[in-house]
């Protein structure tokens, strides 16, 4: 990172968007304008500002309250999935970079096989065994994240293992575990943070897709994907039911991608700010 270098516009925009979404999710833990699951049939399908800031759905539930509670569920699943998958994948990638040889080859071929099973397919298989729910969606997304982080961490770790100070540590008799903890992980942490930020956007989008298919959080818990699924029937009569969650999902993905790109520019001095 270049000393005194001002943050780029992508980093600032990404931080602002993700900070707002995180604040909304945290506020929703304690307060929403209306209980997000409370039905009021007399006020169903009211347009924005007619009853609540964003209107109501087919059951009279406040759309803004559902959107806030959905942020809590959708972002929570995405964060948990990236944390689990990222941790497991990083340990795997750093481990095989230290061992190399046959183990390295087998793990990388296993990652190739894992990429053949996207999260939706994994969620369907896990749903048949465990039933649909947030835990199933989290595990399915996390399993998809493992090979992603394994490849990234392995490639970055191999570069560190070829550096002079690591060769000197090996010559001094230090073991692979000590070198990995003291030298490899600290030097690849920046790349992993950038990767995790970008993968958060993908995780939000994947969670929305799983919830849209009924494989996410079970009703009546709100989630952005299920809000989109429920809005299909009322696209002509009540388009705001689809616009609100759709725009929020797009904004979340945009925010995490901008944040990841901004961090990459900030952490890599070889990249120009506008590149």
């Amino acid at each position: 990172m270049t000393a005194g270098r001002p943050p780029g516009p992508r980093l600032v925009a990404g931080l602002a968007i993700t900070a707002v979404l995180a604040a909304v999710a945290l506020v929703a833990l304690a307060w929403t304008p209306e209980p997000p699951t409370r039905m009021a049939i007399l006020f169903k399908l009211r347009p924005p500002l007619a009853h609540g800031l964003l209107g109501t759905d087919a059951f009279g539930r406040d759309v803004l309250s559902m959107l806030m509670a959905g942020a809590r569920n959708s972002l929570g699943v995405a964060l948990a999935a990236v944390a689990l998958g990222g941790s497991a994948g990083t340990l795997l990638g750093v481990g095989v970079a230290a061992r190399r040889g046959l183990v390295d080859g087998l793990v990388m071929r296993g990652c190739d096989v894992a990429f053949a099973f996207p999260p939706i397919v994994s969620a369907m298989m896990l749903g048949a065994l465990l039933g649909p729910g947030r835990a199933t969606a989290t595990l399915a997304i996390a399993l998809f994240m493992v090979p992603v982080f394994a490849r990234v961490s392995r490639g970055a770790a191999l570069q560190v293992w070829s550096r002079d100070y690591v060769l000197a540590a090996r010559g001094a008799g230090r073991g692979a575990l000590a070198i990995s903890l003291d030298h490899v992980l600290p030097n690849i942490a920046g790349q992993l943070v950038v990767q995790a930020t970008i993968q958060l956007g993908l995780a939000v989008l994947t969670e929305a897709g799983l919830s849209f298919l009924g494989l996410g959080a079970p009703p009546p818990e709100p989630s952005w994907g299920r809000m989109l699924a429920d809005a299909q029937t009322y696209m002509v009569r009540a388009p705001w039911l689809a616009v609100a969650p759709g725009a929020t999902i797009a904004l979340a993905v945009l925010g995490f991608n901008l944040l990841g790109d901004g961090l990459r520019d900030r952490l890599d001095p070889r990249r120009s700010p506008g590149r």
Side-chain angles (χ1 to χ4, degrees), residues 4-240:
R5 179 178 171 182
R10 286 185 291 190
L11 179 58
V12 173
L15 279 173
I17 293 172
T18 53
V20 169
L21 291 174
V24 169
L26 290 174
V27 169
L29 292 173
W31 176 85
T32 54
E34 299 286 345
T37 59
R38 186 173 70 183
M39 301 181 186
I41 301 299
L42 293 177
F43 301 102
K44 68 177 184 179
L45 297 179
R46 295 293 176 89
L49 300 180
H51 188 86
L53 185 62
L54 297 179
T56 59
D57 71 352
F59 297 99
R61 296 174 296 189
D62 183 61
V63 173
L64 177 60
S65 300
M66 295 175 65
L67 207 63
M68 292 175 65
R72 178 186 63 204
N73 290 327
S74 298
L75 294 180
V77 168
L79 286 169
V82 172
L84 288 173
S87 299
T90 299
L91 291 175
L92 191 61
V94 171
V96 297
R99 292 291 302 274
R100 304 185 193 180
L102 179 61
V103 174
D104 185 13
L106 290 174
V107 170
M108 288 302 101
R109 299 298 74 75
C111 290
D112 293 338
V113 173
F115 277 123
F117 296 92
I120 291 178
V121 176
S122 300
M124 288 180 177
M125 293 187 295
L126 290 171
L129 296 173
L130 306 175
R134 280 183 297 181
T136 299
T138 301
L139 185 56
I141 299 172
L143 289 174
F144 182 77
M145 296 292 172
V146 170
V148 174
F149 280 91
R151 284 188 172 278
V152 171
S153 59
R154 172 186 175 272
L158 287 176
Q159 294 181 2
V160 177
W161 274 98
S162 65
R163 293 177 181 171
D164 292 340
Y165 57 85
V166 173
L167 296 177
R170 294 179 66 184
R174 301 206 68 189
L177 178 60
I179 293 175
S180 296
L181 293 176
D182 294 342
H183 299 291
V184 176
L185 281 174
N187 281 283
I188 68 173
Q191 297 179 54
L192 295 176
V193 169
V194 171
Q195 187 65 35
T197 306
I198 294 174
Q199 292 302 120
L200 278 171
L202 177 61
V204 168
L205 192 60
T206 304
E207 190 280 334
L210 294 176
S211 295
F212 185 89
L213 296 174
L215 299 171
E221 293 186 46
S223 68
W224 295 339
R226 192 185 310 101
M227 290 177 69
L228 277 177
D230 294 341
Q232 291 182 96
T233 309
Y234 306 97
M235 286 295 293
V236 176
R237 184 180 175 187
W240 62 87

